[in-house]
Amino acid sequence: MACVKAVRQPDLVLITWSRNPLVPGSARRIISVRVIGSAEPCKATLVPNGLLSAALACLLDDFKIVYKKKTSNVSGYLLLQRFRNR
């Protein structure tokens, strides 16, 4: 009998963010989040209107940014992938 090893799919987090266009230098805030797999232990930081900097402070311990795009001067999105297994 052959042993079949399951391939674990990567954990991905897609974050859409924006900042207040009327306040120069305002903080980037989360607009929406889509998680494929798990975002633990950072799930609590991934909330609409939460600070992107707080979410990234947690996520970058286990994830790396694999794609980022500014869609305007005040908005953009990030795609992060877990780089170590938990």
Side-chain angles (χ1 to χ4, degrees):
M1 182 180 226
C3 180
V4 178
K5 188 174 185 178
V7 176
R8 181 180 149 107
Q9 294 298 314
D11 294 327
L12 300 170
V13 178
L14 177 63
I15 302 172
T16 304
W17 61 267
S18 72
R19 64 173 86 223
N20 185 339
L22 302 176
V23 180
S26 63
R28 294 178 292 174
R29 297 216 170 249
I30 296 170
I31 299 301
S32 65
V33 175
R34 172 77 168 129
V35 176
I36 299 173
S38 173
E40 291 299 336
C42 303
K43 189 175 175 183
T45 65
L46 298 172
V47 295
N49 206 35
L51 289 173
L52 179 62
S53 59
L56 289 177
C58 182
L59 287 166
L60 291 176
D61 288 340
D62 292 321
F63 288 78
K64 67 179 175 179
I65 298 171
V66 293
Y67 188 79
K68 62 182 175 179
K69 173 88 174 163
K70 272 185 95 171
T71 54
S72 73
N73 286 336
V74 294
S75 64
Y77 57 90
L78 299 166
L79 177 64
L80 298 97
Q81 180 177 351
R82 190 180 306 270
F83 66 91
R84 338 180 252 218
N85 290 330
R86 285 200 145 244

